[in-house]
C-alpha cells in the first residue's frame, strides 16, 4: 500500500438496502486520514476505521470555519468494475480552495493514491442498483487549539465514503425554485469560487424558507447588482434560450463545477451553441414571456442534472419546458451518466479505473 498505513477494523457494518440509500446518510467501514503540522508538513497518511475525530473545543475550525471539501463519486460499471469521473479536477480544485482559505496544499499524487486505495479497500460498498454510486467526500479542517484569528498551524485531511442514490427526492423530476431577493451566497473577492463550508452555511436560511414555502431551492443573484444570475441551490445553472445554452461565467463568486464544465464540453462536442456570459433575471423572465426560454437546469456532482420546471420571482412566475425535463437536459443526463457508469464510450478520457 505504499506509504499509506492501514489499520483494520474489528467489525464490519451491515450494508444498507441499495434501493433506500437516499443521499449521504450511510458511511463505510474505513476512512483516510492525514495530519499537517507546521514545520513537519503532511504526515502519517493512513486508512483507519471510520469513527469520530478528537478535537479540542478551541479547534480553530469550530470558530472561524477554516475548512474546505470536495465531492466526487465512484461508479460500478456493468462488468463489475469501478471507475471515478475526472478525479484530477477535484484534486486541483481542492488545492485552489485551500489556497483561498490560507491552508496548505496537498500533494496531488498522494491525494490520488489515497482516493484509489480507499475505494479499493471499500469496493464492496460501491452499489450496483441503477443510479446509485459511492459518494467520496474529501475534506480538510483547522485543528489548532487557539481562539486567536489567524491561519491554523495544524490540519486534518480526511476522506469518507457514502453509498448514495438520488440527491433530490425528485430525482430527474423538475424542481420548483424561487429567486432569492434577501440573502446572497457569495461576492467577488470573497470565497464563492472555493468549496468551503461557509459558502453553504450562507445558503441555509434561504433553503429553509424555500422549503417552508413549498420550493426545492432558490436561484441566487449576484451580491452587488442583485440582478445577475449566479447559481441554483448548491449547483451551477444552465439555460437554453433561443437554441443556445447560456450559463453565468466563472467570475470569482461562482463555483467552477466539474459537472458544469463537463456539460459545456459535451454540448460543444455536439455542436450546440454555448455561451458563458452574464444573464440578468429580467432577461430570463423576458425569454420566458416571449417563449424563447426552452430549458433550465442545475448541474452538480450530487444530482448530475436537476431540471427546473418552475421559477417564481416576486409576483412573476414561469413554467419551463411545460414543467417537464427538457429534451437537451435529458440527453445530457443520459450521455454524462452513460460515461460515468461506463455504459457509453468516453471520448474525453474522463474516467479513471479503480478496479
Ligand atoms: C453537488 O452538486 O455535488 C454539490 O455541491 C452538493 C454537495 C454539497 C452535496
Amino acid at each position: 500500500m505504499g506509504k499509506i498505513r492501514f489499520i483494520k477494523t474489528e467489525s464490519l457494518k451491515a450494508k444498507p438496502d441499495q434501493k433506500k440509500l437516499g443521499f449521504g446518510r450511510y458511511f463505510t467501514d474505513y476512512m483516510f486520514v492525514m495530519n499537517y503540522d507546521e514545520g513537519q508538513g503532511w504526515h502519517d497518511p493512513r486508512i483507519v476505521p471510520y469513527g469520530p475525530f478528537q478535537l479540542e473545543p478551541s479547534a480553530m475550525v469550530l470558530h472561524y470555519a477554516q475548512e474546505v471539501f470536495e465531492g466526487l463519486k465512484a461508479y460500478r460499471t456493468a462488468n463489475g468494475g469501478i471507475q471515478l469521473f475526472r478525479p484530477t479536477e477535484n484534486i486541483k480544485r481542492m488545492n485552489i480552495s485551500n489556497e483561498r482559505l490560507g491552508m496548505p496544499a496537498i500533494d496531488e499524487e498522494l491525494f490520488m493514491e489515497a482516493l484509489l486505495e480507499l475505494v479499493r479497500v471499500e469496493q464492496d460498498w460501491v452499489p450496483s442498483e441503477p443510479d446509485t454510486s459511492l459518494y467520496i467526500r474529501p475534506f480538510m479542517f483547522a485543528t489548532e487549539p487557539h481562539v486567536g484569528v489567524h491561519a491554523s498551524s495544524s490540519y486534518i485531511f480526511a476522506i469518507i465514503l457514502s453509498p448514495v442514490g438520488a440527491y433530490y427526492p425528485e430525482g430527474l423530476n423538475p424542481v420548483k425554485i424561487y429567486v432569492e431577493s434577501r440573502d446572497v451566497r457569495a461576492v467577488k473577492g470573497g470565497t464563492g469560487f472555493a468549496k468551503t463550508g461557509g459558502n453553504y452555511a450562507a445558503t441555509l436560511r434561504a433553503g429553509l424558507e424555500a422549503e417552508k414555502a413549498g420550493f426545492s431551492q432558490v436561484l441566487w443573484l449576484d451580491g452587488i447588482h442583485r440582478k445577475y444570475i449566479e447559481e441554483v441551490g448548491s449547483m451551477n445553472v444552465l439555460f437554453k434560450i433561443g437554441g443556445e445554452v447560456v450559463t453565468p461565467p466563472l467570475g470569482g463568486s461562482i463555483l467552477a463545477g466539474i459537472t458544469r464544465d463537463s456539460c459545456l464540453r459535451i454540448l460543444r462536442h455536439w455542436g450546440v451553441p454555448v455561451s458563458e456570459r452574464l444573464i440578468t433575471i429580467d432577461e430570463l423572465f423576458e425569454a420566458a414571456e416571449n417563449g424563447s426560454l426552452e430549458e433550465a437546469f442545475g448541474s452538480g456532482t450530487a444530482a448530475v442534472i436537476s431540471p427546473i420546471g418552475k421559477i417564481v420571482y416576486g409576483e412573476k412566475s414561469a413554467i419551463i419546458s411545460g414543467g417537464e425535463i427538457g429534451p437537451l437536459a435529458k440527453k445530457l443526463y443520459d450521455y454524462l451518466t452513460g460515461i460515468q457508469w461506463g455504459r457509453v464510450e468516453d471520448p474525453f478520457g474522463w474516467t479513471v479505473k479503480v478496479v
Side-chain angles (χ1 to χ4, degrees), residues 23 69 71 135 137 167 195 200 234-235 255 299-303:
F23 188 89
F69 68 96
Y135 187 74
R137 168 54 61 86
Y167 184 70
K195 209 155 172 72
Y200 296 79
S234 59
M235 308 177 89
L255 187 80
S299 74
T301 295

Side-chain angles (χ1 to χ4, degrees), residues 13-270:
K13 299 172 189 170
K15 307 245 182 341
D17 181 346
Q18 289 193 18
K19 292 195 166 72
K20 297 184 184 148
L21 290 174
F23 188 89
R25 301 224 172 254
Y26 301 99
F27 299 96
T28 69
D29 295 302
Y30 290 97
M31 61 182 183
F32 174 86
V33 185
M34 172 164 80
N35 295 78
Y36 178 93
D37 287 282
E38 212 166 78
Q40 201 181 356
W42 287 108
H43 59 92
D44 199 14
R46 57 207 187 268
I47 290 174
V48 296
Y50 176 95
F53 293 116
Q54 276 219 329
L55 271 189
E56 296 254 357
S58 55
M60 293 178 78
V61 64
L62 301 177
H63 304 271
Y64 310 120
Q66 198 188 12
E67 185 272 354
V68 304
F69 68 96
E70 270 302 326
L72 68 161
K73 287 171 170 173
Y75 305 86
R76 176 75 66 185
T77 57
N79 62 8
I82 297 171
Q83 60 187 26
L84 306 181
F85 181 74
R86 308 186 73 184
T88 315
E89 298 306 311
N90 295 92
I91 292 173
K92 283 195 224 147
R93 188 173 64 186
M94 184 134 175
N95 276 334
I96 291 171
S97 302
N98 284 339
E99 203 277 327
R100 176 62 184 85
L101 274 283
M103 298 163 85
I106 294 173
D107 179 78
E108 293 190 5
E109 259 174 56
L110 178 60
F111 194 153
M112 182 65 94
E113 195 183 323
L115 282 177
L116 293 173
E117 201 51 51
L118 183 63
V119 176
R120 265 181 215 131
V121 166
E122 294 290 56
Q123 54 184 278
D124 291 351
W125 281 90
V126 182
S128 54
E129 279 291 314
D131 301 323
T132 63
S133 56
L134 187 68
Y135 187 74
I136 305 173
R137 168 54 61 86
F139 59 109
M140 179 169 149
F141 55 93
T143 55
E144 184 185 338
H146 184 181
V147 292
V149 179
H150 71 93
S152 177
S153 61
S154 60
Y155 299 90
I156 286 176
F157 169 69
I159 307 173
I160 56 173
L161 305 174
S162 173
V164 299
Y167 184 70
Y168 285 120
E170 289 95 334
L172 259 190
N173 291 321
V175 295
K176 248 180 20 172
I177 61 167
Y178 70 70
V179 181
E180 174 60 31
S181 54
R182 177 178 54 172
D183 294 347
V184 298
R185 149 187 191 277
V187 290
K188 287 185 188 19
T191 56
F193 66 92
K195 209 155 172 72
T196 180
N199 291 341
Y200 296 79
T203 70
L204 299 178
R205 178 169 75 170
L208 273 179
E209 304 269 300
E211 273 169 37
K212 262 193 256 160
F215 294 81
S216 300
Q217 261 307 339
V218 305
L219 188 70
W220 297 104
L221 299 182
D222 79 279
I224 295 170
H225 311 280
R226 302 288 187 118
K227 66 177 189 183
Y228 298 109
I229 296 170
E230 298 235 307
E231 295 193 10
V232 59
S234 59
M235 308 177 89
N236 295 118
V237 68
L238 297 92
F239 303 98
K240 183 163 175 251
I241 303 175
E244 182 186 49
V245 174
V246 180
T247 192
L250 303 176
S253 54
I254 292 176
L255 187 80
I258 295 160
T259 311
R260 172 190 182 278
D261 180 71
S262 305
C263 286
L264 297 181
R265 288 183 56 187
I266 290 170
L267 290 166
R268 289 183 179 124
H269 175 72
W270 286 343

